[in-house]
């Protein structure tokens, strides 16, 4: 079956237009909903389905840039963006990315670092996924139980007896302290912010990924942002880094423009739907879905590692199917939840 | 309850239908994957191209700065226009967004 194969002039290959739109749509939904770019999904998917690796890295950045514009606009309208924090994140992350990429270039001179990077990537995804799962299934019920107890004792508590990592960081009084009223943060040391964003930037540069999937948990767990504001603020960082990446990778001739435009047709629609869905799903629901998604992403990285070790293309194909399967299932789940919640709202006359 | 069943059946159908082109392309790529990845050529052969593909290929070959600027501008404009149109459709469907409360 040929699913409307088209010729891509820059990459010099025939590719299914339907698959491009589908990849774009799924990444758009996930990007708008989670505040990530989705390069971690598009790059391996395009490469596995026949793109040269150089184009598989560059082309997604152009697509992510285009899709993020509408999603940022929509999140801004919902009050989900802390522009002040976003600006600090962008500036500091860029420095971190530069340091990370220089470290990886220095390591490359000593030999093939692909194996090390993939293992780091896998353990990071597994750790973040496991931590978010632990938070959802262990910490969150404990906090809720405590809040119920405090409410029944009429003590007016808010569950603050369960210390959060972000609360501990906020207590570190190292001047200058900055407040973020849009996020409900009274004061956090600028040095803590610089250190955290430098680290996320470093990880992005070291592993060659956009970093949205690292920024979201960092904003939630270390900085203490409400999940929806973390999603919107993360998207701002993604938008600016993708814009820069789109231009520089195009300059190096690594962006397949026709493919990026076709993907954008699906991605723009998907990103709007994904951003709208944030309105209907509670913060902890977003965190759980995000945790499931990055655990599957980690599994696909592990499968890719097996491919590199054994040289059997079956593993690579399997990794691609796992990624695409996860993206399709997750996007369907988000759209399904959006439809059900909207339907319930209408029934209740809201 | 029946609505949920209809929705879950519809979602499952969408997932299955969406999976077809993925598996199709994966199978064809797996068959062709025995051949090594060729070295990347930084110049496009324009002999067999025509129309918009030819325009893009010429720009890519002759002026990379212009190509980069065009890609960036096209993505920005197209992203904005498509987002605007999708927004109109979503509004027509009653899925309008406004400032939300940030509940965890």
């Amino acid at each position: 079956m040929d699913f409307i194969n088209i010729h891509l002039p820059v990459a010099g290959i025939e590719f299914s237009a339907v698959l491009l739109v589908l990849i774009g749509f799924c990444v758009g939904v996930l990007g708008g909903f989670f505040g990530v770019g989705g390069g971690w999904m598009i790059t391996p998917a395009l490469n596995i389905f026949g793109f040269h690796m150089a184009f598989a890295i560059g082309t997604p950045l152009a697509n992510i840039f285009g899709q993020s514009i509408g999603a940022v606009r929509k999140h801004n309208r919902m009050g989900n963006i802390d522009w002040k924090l976003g600006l600090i994140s962008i500036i500091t992350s860029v420095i971190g990315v530069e340091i990370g990429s220089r470290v990886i270039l220095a390591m490359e001179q000593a030999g093939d670092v692909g194996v090390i990077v993939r293992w780091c990537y896998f353990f990071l995804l597994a750790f973040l996924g496991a931590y978010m799962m632990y938070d959802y299934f262990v910490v969150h019920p404990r906090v809720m139980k405590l809040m119920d107890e405090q409410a029944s004792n009429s003590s007016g508590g808010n569950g603050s007896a369960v210390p959060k990592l972000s609360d501990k960081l906020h207590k570190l009084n190292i001047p200058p302290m900055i407040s973020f009223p849009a996020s409900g943060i009274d004061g956090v040391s600028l040095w803590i912010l610089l250190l955290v964003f430098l680290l996320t930037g470093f990880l992005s540069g070291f592993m060659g990924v956009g970093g949205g999937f690292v920024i979201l948990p960092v904003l939630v767990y270390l900085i203490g942002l409400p999940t929806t504001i973390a999603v919107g603020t993360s998207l701002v960082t993604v938008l600016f880094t993708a814009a820069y990446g789109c231009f520089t990778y195009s300059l190096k001739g690594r962006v397949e423009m026709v493919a990026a435009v076709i993907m954008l047709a699906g991605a723009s629609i998907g990103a709007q739907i994904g951003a709208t869905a944030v309105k209907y799903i509670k913060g902890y629901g977003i965190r759980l879905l995000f945790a499931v998604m990055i655990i599957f992403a980690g599994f696909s990285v592990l499968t890719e590692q097996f491919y590199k070790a054994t040289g059997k293309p079956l593993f690579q194909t399997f990794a691609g199917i796992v990624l695409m399967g996860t993206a399709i299932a997750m996007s369907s789940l988000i759209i399904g939840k959006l439809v059900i919640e909207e339907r319930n709202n209408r029934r209740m006359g809201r | 309850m029946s609505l949920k069943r209809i929705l879950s059946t519809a979602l499952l159908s969408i997932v299955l239908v969406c999976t077809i082109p993925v598996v199709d392309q994966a199978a064809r790529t797996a068959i062709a994957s025995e051949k090594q990845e060729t070295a990347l050529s930084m110049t496009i052969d324009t002999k067999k191209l025509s129309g918009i593909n030819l325009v893009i290929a010429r720009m890519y070959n002759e002026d990379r700065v212009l190509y980069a600027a065009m890609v960036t501008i096209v993505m920005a404009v197209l992203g904005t226009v498509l987002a605007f149109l999708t927004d109109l459709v979503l509004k027509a469907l009653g899925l309008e967004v406004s400032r939300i409360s940030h509940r965890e």
Side-chain angles (χ1 to χ4, degrees):
Chain A
M1 274 187 286
D2 277 351
F3 284 89
I4 320 173
N5 269 3
I6 52 154
H7 181 71
L8 303 175
V10 176
I13 55 168
E14 301 288 321
F15 205 87
S16 164
V18 176
L19 187 59
L20 282 175
V21 174
L22 181 65
I23 291 173
F25 180 77
C26 291
V27 170
V29 173
L30 301 180
F33 187 74
F34 293 119
V36 297
W40 54 273
M41 195 208 102
I42 319 179
T43 298
L46 290 181
N47 183 232
I48 288 160
F49 293 137
F51 264 63
H52 193 288
M53 197 55 182
F55 294 116
I57 293 171
T59 308
L61 284 166
N63 174 63
I64 291 164
F65 168 49
Q67 82 179 31
S68 302
I69 294 171
V72 163
R73 189 170 149 262
K74 186 152 262 187
H75 276 287
N76 192 37
R77 214 184 300 159
M78 288 193 279
N80 286 348
I81 297 177
D82 189 326
W83 289 99
K84 192 174 162 188
L85 188 62
L87 193 70
I88 295 173
S89 159
I90 293 163
I91 296 167
T92 323
S93 298
V94 166
I95 300 167
V97 169
E98 191 58 36
I99 298 169
S101 54
R102 279 172 192 247
V103 168
I104 204 77
L105 282 173
M107 285 173 71
E108 268 175 357
Q109 287 174 350
D112 181 23
V113 290
V115 178
I116 300 168
V117 170
R118 272 190 299 278
W119 277 121
C120 289
Y121 199 7
F122 168 71
F123 283 117
L124 184 70
L125 289 171
F127 168 74
L128 288 175
Y131 181 78
M132 291 178 93
M133 285 280 190
Y134 168 77
D135 179 58
Y136 185 84
F137 289 108
V138 180
V139 180
H140 182 53
R142 210 183 286 165
V143 173
M144 296 307 284
K145 196 179 164 192
L146 200 69
M147 281 172 76
D148 284 345
E149 281 172 12
Q150 285 174 339
S152 62
N153 292 339
S154 305
S155 59
N158 57 3
S160 56
V162 179
K164 288 190 284 185
L165 199 55
S166 57
D167 292 338
K168 289 178 186 172
L169 286 178
H170 290 177
K171 279 177 189 163
L172 293 173
N173 194 354
I174 312 167
M177 301 292 279
I178 304 182
S179 66
F180 297 97
S183 305
I185 296 172
D186 295 330
V188 59
S189 170
L190 177 66
W191 297 108
I192 302 278
L193 292 178
L194 295 182
L195 191 70
V196 165
F197 291 131
L198 208 62
L199 186 69
T200 55
F202 175 82
L203 288 171
S204 300
F206 184 76
M207 294 183 297
V209 292
F213 76 94
V214 186
I215 294 172
L216 182 73
V218 159
L219 289 177
V220 171
Y221 293 109
L222 295 185
I223 312 296
L225 258 66
T227 312
T228 44
I229 296 185
V231 168
T233 308
S234 165
L235 254 178
V236 173
T237 315
V238 167
L239 172 69
F240 281 90
T241 49
Y244 174 73
C246 171
F247 185 77
T248 52
Y249 272 88
S250 301
L251 208 58
K252 289 167 191 154
R254 303 297 170 92
V255 174
E256 168 49 72
M257 188 185 163
V258 175
V261 166
I262 294 171
M263 270 200 286
L264 186 61
S268 285
I269 299 167
Q272 292 293 300
I273 294 172
T276 306
V278 170
K279 178 182 161 189
Y280 298 94
I281 299 174
K282 284 183 184 175
Y284 265 93
I286 299 173
R287 293 189 204 182
L288 176 67
L289 292 176
F290 187 79
V292 172
M293 190 179 70
I294 61 174
I295 284 172
F296 273 101
F299 180 69
S300 96
V301 173
L302 190 67
T303 318
E304 181 78 8
Q305 190 76 305
F306 283 134
Y307 161 67
K308 295 287 177 189
T310 61
K312 290 182 179 171
L314 182 71
F315 282 117
Q316 200 186 27
T317 309
F318 184 63
I321 289 174
V322 167
L323 271 178
M324 279 305 293
T326 307
I328 292 169
M330 200 60 84
S331 311
S332 307
L333 199 70
I334 292 166
I335 296 167
K337 185 76 178 163
L338 170 73
V339 172
I340 291 169
E341 291 293 329
E342 179 59 24
R343 183 114 186 171
N344 288 345
N345 279 357
R346 282 183 195 182
R347 218 179 265 168
M348 290 164 77
R350 267 188 252 165
Chain B
M1 191 64 189
S2 61
L3 174 71
K4 276 190 177 176
R5 195 170 293 170
I6 293 166
L7 272 172
S8 54
T9 313
L11 276 177
L12 190 65
S13 311
I14 293 167
V15 171
L16 287 174
V17 169
C18 289
T19 312
I20 296 171
V22 178
V23 175
D24 172 62
Q25 185 90 28
R28 281 194 278 127
T29 314
I31 292 163
S33 63
E34 292 303 316
K35 62 179 179 185
Q36 290 290 312
E37 200 168 63
T38 51
L40 184 65
S41 166
M42 297 308 289
T43 312
I44 305 167
D45 182 7
T46 54
K47 281 176 202 158
K48 291 176 185 172
L49 299 177
S50 61
I52 189 76
N53 279 357
L54 181 63
V55 174
I56 292 170
R58 277 195 185 145
M59 200 181 289
Y60 181 91
N61 286 344
E62 290 161 15
D63 193 341
R64 202 54 67 72
V65 178
L66 188 64
Y67 177 76
M70 191 185 66
V71 171
T72 312
I73 292 167
V74 165
M75 296 314 280
V77 172
L78 205 61
T80 309
V81 171
L82 286 171
F84 178 73
L85 293 176
T86 312
D87 214 20
L88 285 181
V89 175
L90 289 175
K91 268 183 195 168
L93 291 170
L95 294 167
E96 200 168 356
V97 295
S98 53
R99 192 162 277 273
I100 59 167
S101 61
H102 301 107
R103 54 202 178 136
E104 292 292 321

